[in-house]
Amino acid sequence: MSAVLINATKQLAKCCRQSQFSAPVSHVYYPLEYAWAAHEQYLQRFATGRKKAIFVGMNPGPWGMGQTGIPFGDVVSVRDWLGICTAVKTPEVEHPKRIIQGFDCPRREVSGTRLWGLFAECYGSAEQFFSQHFVINYCPLLFLGATAANVTPDKLPAATTAALYRCCDTFLKKAVAELQPHYLIGVGGFAEKRLQLLFNERKNYTISKILHPSPASPAANRSFTATASGQLAALGLL
């Protein structure tokens, strides 16, 4: 099963290369290329067997997947809980304020710390979590503005995202078809909307969301773990 997703992910990476980006984007990072070794290991180890739920994030952050190639890829969480630590190459063009250090990056990613911490608290080991669940990002690209500010896909012009979203939609459909989950859970509102758009007419899926763990969210800063675990419990996933 992981071989199918590995092939689909490679196709996604190639497809995304065909998209062109302009202001407010000044730099585009492709973690599925320069951090492929880690991402391939993630798929080989955890994208196996049918899943009960897939959690879908938006796109990489500069201190998470941008460094490690793993969705919500806080270095410590990926290394110590997921058990993945590999060499990471250098992107073609780097913003001087967002250098890729891979697993040597000393900065923590708050979103990743919170999300993987939630799953560790609720499910125990990574093996236990991934036996029924999986985590992917809708878009695999990291976008930075001229000042190195993170630019999320929902802030890009529609003309820019049309081709990109086609690539991402195709991959998401392949991942869902392969992993056959019952629950499709957006991590935040953007991912939930993409899931509803693609799968809402299919009655065999339950589409919902959990609170996004971003430090930009006041609700997440107040009580991410309590809120998100309550949402998981309400869905019957705890």
Side-chain angles (χ1 to χ4, degrees), residues 2-18 30-41 43-44 65 140-141 167-168 170-172 174-175:
S2 62
V4 174
L5 279 185
I6 287 171
N7 183 59
T9 303
K10 289 179 179 179
Q11 292 176 359
L12 170 64
K14 291 180 181 179
C15 187
C16 287
R17 272 289 185 180
Q18 300 173 15
Y30 298 84
L32 292 182
E33 296 179 4
Y34 64 80
W36 173 248
H39 193 85
E40 184 178 34
Q41 190 176 135
L43 296 174
Q44 289 172 336
M65 186 173 176
L141 308 185
C167 298
C168 300
T170 296
F171 171 76
L172 187 55
K174 289 179 180 178

Side-chain angles (χ1 to χ4, degrees), residues 30-222:
Y30 298 84
L32 292 182
E33 296 179 4
Y34 64 80
W36 173 248
H39 193 85
E40 184 178 34
Q41 190 176 135
Y42 175 69
L43 296 174
Q44 289 172 336
R45 289 186 57 192
F46 300 124
T48 58
R50 183 174 180 177
K51 305 299 183 183
K52 186 175 184 179
I54 294 179
F55 294 85
V56 182
M58 181 183 285
N59 76 307
W63 312 114
M65 186 173 176
Q67 299 290 337
T68 65
I70 307 298
F72 294 93
D74 167 66
V75 170
V76 175
S77 301
V78 172
R79 184 190 65 214
D80 296 349
W81 196 64
L82 277 72
I84 295 174
C85 185
T86 69
V88 173
K89 298 178 182 179
T90 302
E92 294 176 358
V93 181
E94 290 182 294
H95 194 291
K97 293 183 179 180
R98 295 292 183 268
I99 301 301
I100 297 303
Q101 298 174 276
F103 286 85
D104 292 325
C105 179
R107 181 161 172 171
R108 303 294 302 272
E109 189 204 41
V110 175
S111 293
T113 302
R114 288 174 174 171
L115 188 71
W116 294 118
L118 168 73
F119 294 149
E121 181 174 318
C122 292
Y123 300 100
S125 68
E127 288 72 21
Q128 184 64 31
F129 170 75
F130 284 108
S131 68
Q132 297 189 72
H133 310 298
F134 196 63
V135 179
I136 62 176
N137 271 331
Y138 173 73
C139 172
L141 308 185
L142 166 62
F143 304 103
L144 299 175
T147 64
N150 192 33
V151 181
T152 53
D154 58 323
K155 299 299 190 295
L156 298 177
T160 298
T161 59
L164 175 65
Y165 283 10
R166 283 195 294 271
C167 298
C168 300
D169 289 348
T170 296
F171 171 76
L172 187 55
K173 290 176 181 177
K174 289 179 180 178
V176 169
E178 187 65 19
L179 297 175
Q180 302 179 55
H182 176 69
Y183 295 91
L184 301 173
I185 313 298
V187 182
F190 172 86
E192 182 191 29
K193 289 178 181 177
R194 298 308 302 175
L195 289 168
Q196 289 175 337
L197 181 66
L198 294 174
F199 301 103
N200 204 37
E201 294 183 356
R202 305 185 189 184
K203 304 302 182 183
N204 49 327
Y205 299 116
T206 295
I207 301 172
S208 190
K209 71 175 178 180
I210 62 170
L211 179 66
H212 197 286
S214 170
S217 165
N221 292 334
R222 285 193 300 270

Side-chain angles (χ1 to χ4, degrees), residues 211 218-228:
L211 179 66
N221 292 334
R222 285 193 300 270
S223 57
F224 170 73
T225 299
T227 301

